[in-house]
Amino acid sequence: MLIQWNYYIVTASDSTGYHNEAKEFSRGNLQIPIRELRELDLPDSHAWNFVPLGYIPSTTPGHMAPTYPPGLPLIVSAAGIADGWGGAPFLVIPLLSLLCMPVMYGLGREFGLPRGDAWAGGMILVACPTFQLMAIGQMSDCVATLWGMLTIWLALRAARRPNEALLAGAVLGMAVLTRP
């Protein structure tokens, strides 16, 4: 259902910011020229008049830099590079959101729930209307939820499998890069 009802467009200021940042990362740009300053021959003091939400004037004169955390845009950028910008980048968030269900199952099992109850927990999460809206709306919320739950699950498992502590730390790093 998430894939069927997924937005294959950016829908609001935040999703636009993430998408624009992903496209710039795919081009190797960490700073973007503010064209209007050059075209209108204006001084840098007018930069804020032309900087969209999600960007700030850069320390490099005549440029702007993104302010959104880079984690999600980097993943979306990889999808865009791999498969073009038509569909794949818009599937990243719903697909990562769906991974929350088995991770919730794993958390439930770690906390001693029977299999059926653990699966029910995962299904309740992905059936939540707020979760579904964030999953199809090109926002970082569900991706950050995935990284947070996965960090906790791996950290709990690390008590029995010490190697998973390193993986938990790496996933925590992704969580911070996605939504600090």
Side-chain angles (χ1 to χ4, degrees):
M1 186 169 97
L2 289 179
I3 303 303
Q4 177 185 358
W5 294 104
N6 185 41
Y7 296 146
Y8 289 90
I9 57 170
V10 290
T11 58
S13 56
D14 282 347
S15 60
T16 300
Y18 288 125
H19 195 74
N20 287 340
E21 191 171 331
K23 278 191 166 184
E24 292 303 328
F25 284 162
S26 74
R27 297 176 186 132
N29 296 333
L30 299 179
Q31 298 184 63
I32 306 152
I34 304 172
R35 291 188 332 251
E36 295 82 0
L37 291 178
R38 187 181 62 244
E39 291 172 5
L40 299 173
D41 196 29
L42 294 171
D44 283 338
S45 60
H46 290 277
W48 277 110
N49 296 326
F50 303 104
V51 173
L53 183 67
Y55 289 85
I56 58 171
S58 172
T59 55
T60 303
H63 288 74
M64 60 183 164
T67 60
Y68 285 104
L72 179 59
L74 286 170
I75 297 169
V76 171
S77 177
I81 291 169
D83 196 48
W85 288 93
F90 297 101
L91 293 174
V92 168
I93 295 169
L95 292 175
L96 289 175
S97 298
L98 286 174
L99 289 177
C100 287
M101 190 165 67
V103 173
M104 180 66 92
Y105 167 82
L107 275 171
R109 294 295 291 153
E110 283 297 317
F111 287 121
L113 291 178
R115 283 189 170 95
D117 292 348
W119 275 119
M123 288 187 276
I124 289 169
L125 173 65
V126 299
C128 173
T130 304
F131 185 89
Q132 291 178 5
L133 180 63
M134 292 295 105
I136 66 171
Q138 302 304 312
M139 301 291 285
S140 66
D141 303 72
C142 293
V143 178
T145 300
L146 172 66
W147 298 140
M149 290 188 334
L150 192 54
T151 298
I152 294 167
W153 181 52
L154 290 168
L156 291 170
R157 289 170 50 102
R160 294 185 313 279
R161 298 177 182 96
N163 291 341
E164 292 193 15
L166 182 61
L167 189 53
V171 173
L172 177 61
M174 278 307 299
V176 171
L177 283 174
T178 301
R179 199 166 178 112

